[in-house]
Amino acid sequence: MTTRMLMACLSVFVVACGGELGTDDAGSLASSSATSGSASRTYEVCPGPEAQDQLLAAIFHAQQGDTVMLCPGRFEFDSEIPIHEKRGLTLKGAGKDQTIVSFLSSNYSAGFSAARTTGLTIEGLTVEDANSTAVFIMDSSQFTVRDLRTRWNGYDTCDTSQEAENSCSKHGEIGMVIEFSRDILVEDSEFFGATAFGLGFSLPHNALVRRVLAAHNNIGVWSDNPRALTVTDSDIEANAVGVLLTEDRDFSLPGAKSVFTGNRIKANNTPNFARTGNGFAALPSGIGMLHVAVDQLEVTNNEFLDNGTTGLAIINAALLNSTQASHKYDRFPEGINVHANLFRDNGGEPGQPDPRAGPAAAFVPLVIAKNGGKAAQIAWDGATDSPNDCKEVPRDERGVPLDQPNPDSPRDAPRTDERGRPNFSENDPEPNCRYTMWKFDESGKLRPENLIYIDNNRFESTRPQTALVDDFVNFHLTSSNQQQVVQDLLVPASNDLSPHAGTLPSWPLAEPAVPYRLDPRSASDRVKSTQVEKTCAGGPKNQVNWEALLRYNCPRLSDYGLFDDPKDPRHSPRERGMLYKINSPLFSDYAVKYRFIFVPPGKKISYADYEGDPNVSYDNNPQRSMNLPVGSVIVKTFAFRTDDSAGQTVDEQVIETRLLIKRQEYDRVSWVGMAYRWMDTPSGRIAKLAPEGASVPVSFDYLDEDPDVVNADGQRRRYTGSTDIYSVPSASSCAACHGGTMRDPGASPISIKPRHLNREEHCIATGSKQNQLNCLVAAGMLDTLPDDPANLERTPRWNVPGDSGHAPGSPRDVHDRMRAYLEINCSYCHAPDGFARISRVSLDSFRRVDSNYGICRPPLLSGRFGDRRFDIEPGNAEMSVLPHRDSISSFLRMPPLARSLHNMEAHELMEDWINRALIDPSVEVHDTDACNRGGPPIALP
């Protein structure tokens, strides 16, 4: 055995053990080099049956400056690989031709996912056959992707219409998508075979893409609201549409200052193979670049070659969706600079109308008909904005006009750009009118910086099919509104480019702040295995080991000393610990849960809520919990119970105990989440750290502990069933649900909010039954309450009719209880700062029930749900996506983690809510008219 093989085997063994690796473990690591005053480490994982567990454990243990190395070979994973809340981590394969990671057997949506990371690098591997998204990155900064390939096997057959419908449309939607992130470098990578897009961005800021190949996708490269996005020296070919740039109606911050330069956008003529029902199915194939509504785009020194419909199309958003959007939204593309490009042989074979697109299929034939039967290498719809009567400058969330400074409202972008355009944030209120004064001069004409310039380009025709194709057409079709279409048909097309003569100053190319450089202070956070062993195993007897909790991931739950009986985490918490319950708990395959909160001696929780005293209320963020001091611990144990016919417990199988620990890092506080799996050993029951998670068979047969929860016959509700795949989540996945950009870093608590805790239970501190909020005060763990709990916020028990305060079973009662269920089960991700924020659906209990709550809104993965067109279609639960995703067990299930069974009782309430409550006049619901306006695939997602 070679030295390298020996080192690799040793490193895999150490990772597989699941213990904390320290800087003194250099002898078992592939490398150990000094970085910023500390020893960086490499964890090596090679193909084999334990590789997935080893990789998950390595990611959890890795610290700033570390590398997780995947050996050459093929990996078969059946789980998503999460990389959340990490800083300065490198995930590295041996090269995209040597390290292959397949997710063909996975029951999860994504392959690799990374949220709220800083300084992450992914390089040197191929990711293939993910269910939906091969690589998903969001809310991150300073990250690098290089030498990456994403693909679906069979992607090179997507060029034929028969295979497109029968094979390629079954691929996943996305190769790699990067959302709400900044300082991005993607280079020397390839993206093949996605049914939506190969490489995509949502609200990128300062992103550089260079030397990539995007081919055989439905869309090669896509971005909405790009800010300082540069794509250069890349090949975008053999897709249905090469490049699609859009301005999303639901995200406030508009695109600006993006550059496409030095690219070859070639032969994007693959028949559209998006799933029927997906919004992208509305796009005609054969377009090199389609630009919709984005401002300040420079297209220069590119080659547009052999794209059958057109090389470049510039249109306003109303041509795709004529419905009235927010007053924040600007549907017109302005400040466009197209110069010094080569357009050769585009428009020779326009894409045939796709009947799946509905009325939108008529636009390409209409354009050609208006242009005398000819296509064009560049096409513009001719839509321009005009002045209106709005003189009111939009205001920020604190009421200050955006053209004035406000230090109390910090932002990532200036409040207005150099043209005077408002740069909205998500928290800014809806303006009273659409402010456009910044666009026009005193005579009402668009200012020069807001015009579209198409100049100094070279047009060539070398094939008979393109001999009659025009260089340019203004086709004068400005909206999909039927009345406007009729008016536009009376306006002839024009081939005159002279109104577009001239140019704008070039935008600077993106310069992302990479590579990430470690902060020297981070060395103080690194730990050694000797420190872990000494502090964890050598903690004080019969006391909570606060020192270990503050810093170390102990290998055994008992090391923390949280309970009087180290073998039983269901009762008897030690000092500064309290048992609590919540009104509407998260559903976890019918597990019984025991919840405890621990607060360090001498410290207290600071009260905060969403509704109530403005001095203690959350700042427009219903996901924020009360403020727990550093060292606090949330403990939740999951068990499966068997009761006799009288309801007496005869057996209870304790499966796992999860911890959320608030720790102080060198520059911030952060919540660490991890699970301990209970198992039998020769010395008895112990709980071992399981960073890789687990899948466990369980069964249950018990009465609901709440006597108010009854069935239709008025009898105590009994739950009976089993599953072979109860999921203990990997530690790295905790932050997916618990994390958010407007919460504490890491896996922030979900349930520690007054509205969830506001209920009466037995209080050990007083020896009597009282409200849990008062009990926390009595125990010295909470500072004070602003009012009597009866006057504070409270969510009802979702499964107790009448607990909302309305008549039991009435539409208002059903509505309020269903909202409580959706909040605790869904809103931690479906929030403006959550993991599912791209869906634009938020499900907290305080939100207006409208399209942003899912009412008549096309689902994010439209086309996956048969004929179901909307997340929630009031009056029609059968055709609503929400109850469908709640009931299925495939990767499309919701919630996506830690659930294999269907909550039948909640599903019944959900159907009643949609079918009856949402159409009752007593329940306020908005945007229901959208259900009557069609749905996908007519509108872009």
Side-chain angles (χ1 to χ4, degrees):
M1 180 180 288
T2 67
T3 301
R4 186 181 185 282
M5 292 175 63
L6 176 61
M7 299 293 279
C9 290
L10 285 172
S11 65
V12 171
F13 171 77
V14 173
V15 172
C17 289
E20 186 74 24
L21 299 180
T23 55
D24 57 348
D25 291 307
S28 63
L29 300 170
S31 66
S32 180
S33 58
T35 303
S36 298
S38 63
S40 64
R41 295 171 295 185
T42 295
Y43 301 80
E44 192 170 57
V45 179
C46 295
E50 303 301 321
Q52 180 173 292
D53 287 352
Q54 294 166 4
L55 177 58
L56 290 167
I59 290 171
F60 172 70
H61 288 304
Q63 301 175 67
Q64 285 202 58
D66 290 350
T67 296
V68 177
M69 173 73 75
L70 295 175
C71 301
R74 184 175 182 83
F75 296 81
E76 302 281 350
F77 291 160
D78 62 10
S79 173
E80 179 179 325
I81 305 298
I83 314 170
H84 305 319
E85 299 282 355
K86 305 299 284 191
R87 297 195 282 182
L89 174 67
T90 296
L91 175 67
K92 186 175 184 179
K96 64 177 179 289
D97 294 322
Q98 298 185 60
T99 300
I100 313 296
V101 182
S102 172
F103 290 91
L104 186 63
S105 300
S106 174
N107 197 31
Y108 290 80
S109 175
F112 290 92
S113 63
R116 296 172 296 278
T117 66
T118 302
L120 173 67
T121 297
I122 300 177
E123 62 178 302
L125 66 155
T126 287
V127 183
E128 64 181 30
D129 293 328
N131 280 312
S132 181
T133 304
V135 179
F136 172 69
I137 299 171
M138 69 172 292
D139 287 323
S140 296
S141 64
Q142 292 183 267
F143 68 84
T144 300
V145 176
R146 65 166 60 95
D147 192 30
L148 172 75
R149 178 189 293 128
T150 67
R151 69 184 179 195
W152 283 263
N153 285 303
Y155 67 85
D156 51 352
T157 67
C158 297
D159 298 62
T160 63
S161 58
Q162 181 178 2
E163 288 293 337
E165 181 64 26
N166 295 334
S167 175
C168 295
S169 61
K170 298 177 183 179
H171 293 173
E173 283 80 4
I174 299 167
M176 180 169 72
V177 64
I178 301 167
E179 301 174 356
F180 316 110
S181 299
R182 62 186 303 139
D183 290 315
I184 307 154
L185 173 63
V186 180
E187 62 183 5
D188 302 309
S189 296
E190 301 173 348
F191 307 93
F192 300 125
T195 64
F197 48 84
L199 171 62
F201 298 87
S202 187
L203 277 74
H205 190 178
N206 201 24
L208 174 60
V209 177
R210 61 190 179 196
R211 300 185 304 274
V212 306
L213 171 61
H216 305 286
N217 306 282
N218 203 51
I219 298 166
V221 175
W222 166 80
S223 180
D224 64 11
N225 303 56
R227 297 184 65 82
L229 166 66
T230 295
V231 179
T232 183
D233 297 325
S234 295
D235 291 281
I236 303 166
E237 60 184 46
N239 308 283
V241 175
V243 178
L244 174 63
L245 302 179
T246 59
E247 192 79 359
D248 194 294
R249 292 167 173 245
D250 292 304
F251 296 120
S252 299
L253 191 61
K257 301 180 179 63
S258 292
V259 180
F260 278 71
T261 181
N263 304 294
R264 289 154 299 281
I265 302 173
K266 178 182 178 181
N268 291 286
N269 302 313
T270 296
N272 188 313
F273 60 94
R275 285 180 178 82
T276 298
N278 188 291
F280 289 120
L283 296 175
S285 64
I287 299 177
M289 175 183 281
L290 176 58
H291 175 242
V292 186
V294 178
D295 275 15
Q296 294 185 316
L297 173 69
E298 182 177 13
V299 181
T300 182
N301 291 307
N302 302 284
E303 295 179 356
F304 292 83
L305 311 172
D306 303 308
N307 301 288
T309 299
T310 188
L312 170 64
I314 303 171
I315 65 175
N316 85 103
L319 199 60
L320 297 174
N321 187 341
S322 64
T323 57
Q324 178 64 41
S326 164
H327 286 143
K328 295 180 181 180
Y329 185 69
D330 185 0
R331 67 181 175 94
F332 297 96
E334 290 154 339
I336 311 302
N337 193 14
V338 181
H339 63 104
N341 301 281
L342 169 63
F343 289 85
R344 177 192 295 156
D345 292 327
N346 301 286
E349 298 179 67
Q352 296 300 308
D354 189 332
R356 298 178 302 160
F363 278 104
V364 169
L366 279 175
V367 170
I368 294 174
K370 289 193 70 176
N371 195 40
K374 300 176 293 181
Q377 302 218 54
I378 299 178
W380 177 48
D381 66 1
T384 58
D385 205 355
S386 57
N388 60 28
D389 295 331
C390 184
K391 304 279 193 302
E392 182 181 348
V393 177
R395 298 174 180 269
D396 65 18
E397 74 278 14
R398 300 183 184 276
V400 178
L402 291 178
D403 63 351
Q404 299 177 20
N406 182 9
D408 293 329
S409 180
R411 294 163 183 258
D412 289 335
R415 294 166 66 84
T416 61
D417 71 5
E418 72 282 356
R419 299 174 297 167
R421 179 188 65 180
N423 280 334
F424 295 101
S425 77
E426 292 184 25
N427 291 330
D428 291 337
E430 176 71 9
N432 295 321
C433 55
R434 193 171 69 89
Y435 179 74
T436 63
M437 289 183 63
W438 59 272
K439 294 185 179 186
F440 305 100
D441 61 22
E442 294 180 356
S443 65
K445 294 181 180 180
L446 285 169
R447 298 181 186 276
E449 61 268 28
N450 296 322
L451 297 175
I452 294 177
Y453 296 93
I454 305 173
D455 203 0
N456 194 32
N457 299 286
R458 191 164 82 252
F459 298 92
E460 296 180 359
S461 175
T462 66
R463 299 163 49 204
Q465 299 96 316
T466 61
L468 299 178
V469 171
D470 288 316
D471 296 342
F472 167 79
V473 61
N474 175 352
F475 54 86
H476 288 300
L477 282 173
T478 60
S479 174
S480 59
N481 177 273
Q482 292 185 2
Q483 292 182 338
Q484 186 63 47
V485 169
V486 172
Q487 296 179 34
D488 288 343
L489 288 175
L490 301 177
V491 181
S494 169
N495 305 117
D496 184 9
L497 261 175
S498 61
H500 302 282
T503 188
L504 289 169
S506 291
W507 309 120
L509 302 186
E511 295 183 3
V514 294
Y516 176 73
R517 302 189 182 280
L518 297 184
D519 189 323
R521 296 174 298 167
S522 67
S524 64
D525 285 342
R526 297 192 71 92
V527 298
K528 298 180 179 181
S529 59
T530 53
Q531 296 171 321
V532 176
E533 179 65 23
K534 177 181 179 181
T535 308
C536 292
K541 302 300 181 183
N542 303 318
Q543 296 180 36
V544 174
N545 191 348
W546 296 105
E547 182 182 0
L549 285 166
L550 279 169
R551 189 168 187 186
Y552 302 113
N553 302 328
C554 292
R556 298 163 297 274
L557 179 65
S558 57
D559 292 334
Y560 292 123
L562 295 168
F563 298 95
D564 285 339
D565 184 350
K567 298 180 181 180
D568 190 348
R570 295 172 296 176
H571 54 78
S572 302
R574 285 183 173 155
E575 81 279 7
R576 305 290 290 174
M578 175 181 139
L579 176 72
Y580 72 93
K581 297 180 181 180
I582 63 175
N583 290 318
S584 286
L586 172 73
F587 175 73
S588 304
D589 283 352
Y590 291 99
V592 176
K593 302 177 186 179
Y594 298 88
R595 300 173 180 84
F596 298 87
I597 184 169
F598 290 81
V599 177
K603 298 182 180 180
K604 293 184 179 182
I605 302 169
S606 296
Y607 180 89
D609 62 17
Y610 189 74
E611 286 186 332
D613 186 340
N615 295 319
V616 295
S617 294
Y618 304 139
D619 186 10
N620 200 32
N621 179 19
Q623 295 308 318
R624 190 175 292 121
S625 295
M626 291 194 291
N627 186 21
L628 279 70
V630 170
S632 297
V633 190
I634 309 298
V635 183
K636 183 161 62 171
T637 292
F638 296 71
F640 289 86
R641 178 185 299 166
T642 299
D643 291 348
D644 61 19
S645 58
Q648 297 298 311
T649 298
V650 295
D651 182 56
E652 190 165 66
Q653 183 184 12
V654 178
I655 301 297
E656 60 163 321
T657 297
R658 301 180 196 174
L659 304 185
L660 296 178
I661 309 172
K662 190 172 187 178
R663 290 175 174 165
Q664 177 67 58
E665 297 180 358
Y666 71 92
D667 63 340
R668 66 178 188 177
V669 296
S670 181
W671 287 90
V672 175
M674 50 191 165
Y676 288 81
R677 183 180 172 187
W678 286 89
M679 57 191 67
D680 293 312
T681 70
S683 59
R685 293 278 288 174
I686 64 171
K688 289 186 177 181
L689 179 63
E692 71 282 356
S695 183
V696 184
V698 297
S699 62
F700 51 91
D701 183 4
Y702 68 96
L703 292 176
D704 195 297
E705 65 178 351
D706 187 343
D708 294 334
V709 178
V710 298
N711 60 23
D713 297 327
Q715 302 298 312
R716 285 272 296 276
R717 179 78 70 176
R718 192 175 192 99
Y719 308 109
T720 304
S722 65
T723 177
D724 292 331
I725 51 174
Y726 171 78
S727 177
V728 178
S730 66
S732 297
S733 68
C734 292
C737 296
H738 287 265
T741 56
M742 296 188 289
R743 312 171 211 181
D744 285 341
S748 178
I750 293 172
S751 64
I752 308 301
K753 304 177 178 73
R755 59 183 177 272
H756 300 315
L757 300 173
N758 194 345
R759 59 181 287 163
E760 288 198 347
E761 294 293 338
H762 179 76
C763 178
I764 295 178
T766 62
S768 62
K769 188 174 184 179
Q770 66 177 144
N771 190 282
Q772 290 184 132
L773 295 172
N774 284 328
C775 184
L776 281 168
V777 174
M781 299 168 66
L782 175 63
D783 50 10
T784 187
L785 294 179
D787 203 343
D788 186 278
N791 300 321
L792 300 177
E793 63 179 18
R794 177 185 178 273
T795 52
R797 291 173 290 175
W798 72 266
N799 50 3
V800 178
D803 201 55
S804 66
H806 301 288
S810 66
R812 283 295 306 278
D813 176 59
V814 169
H815 181 62
D816 287 354
R817 289 190 288 122
M818 193 67 237
R819 295 201 70 181
Y821 179 85
L822 291 175
E823 172 165 315
I824 201 66
N825 283 274
C826 311
S827 75
Y828 44 83
C829 283
H830 284 278
D833 72 332
F835 198 70
R837 63 187 293 198
I838 191 64
S839 70
R840 294 86 140 181
V841 172
S842 297
L843 294 172
D844 60 82
S845 295
F846 302 96
R847 193 162 303 275
R848 171 182 159 113
V849 180
D850 57 14
S851 64
N852 290 325
Y853 200 80
I855 301 298
C856 297
R857 186 181 196 92
L860 183 63
L861 294 177
S862 53
R864 288 277 195 176
F865 312 108
D867 295 334
R868 298 174 179 87
R869 302 177 304 163
F870 305 107
D871 286 331
I872 302 171
E873 185 172 346
N876 195 347
E878 174 62 27
M879 294 305 295
S880 295
V881 171
L882 177 62
H884 175 69
R885 299 190 76 173
D886 171 71
S887 62
I888 59 178
S889 58
S890 74
F891 75 93
L892 295 168
R893 69 193 181 280
M894 284 289 158
L897 300 177
R899 181 185 76 80
S900 64
L901 297 176
H902 180 202
N903 187 347
M904 292 297 300
E905 298 77 17
H907 192 79
E908 292 174 0
L909 182 68
M910 185 181 295
E911 289 186 325
D912 188 28
W913 176 61
I914 295 175
N915 287 332
R916 184 170 63 95
L918 288 182
I919 61 174
D920 191 272
S922 67
V923 175
E924 185 177 352
V925 182
H926 304 269
D927 298 337
T928 56
D929 58 325
C931 284
N932 301 320
R933 292 202 298 263
I938 297 171
L940 281 174

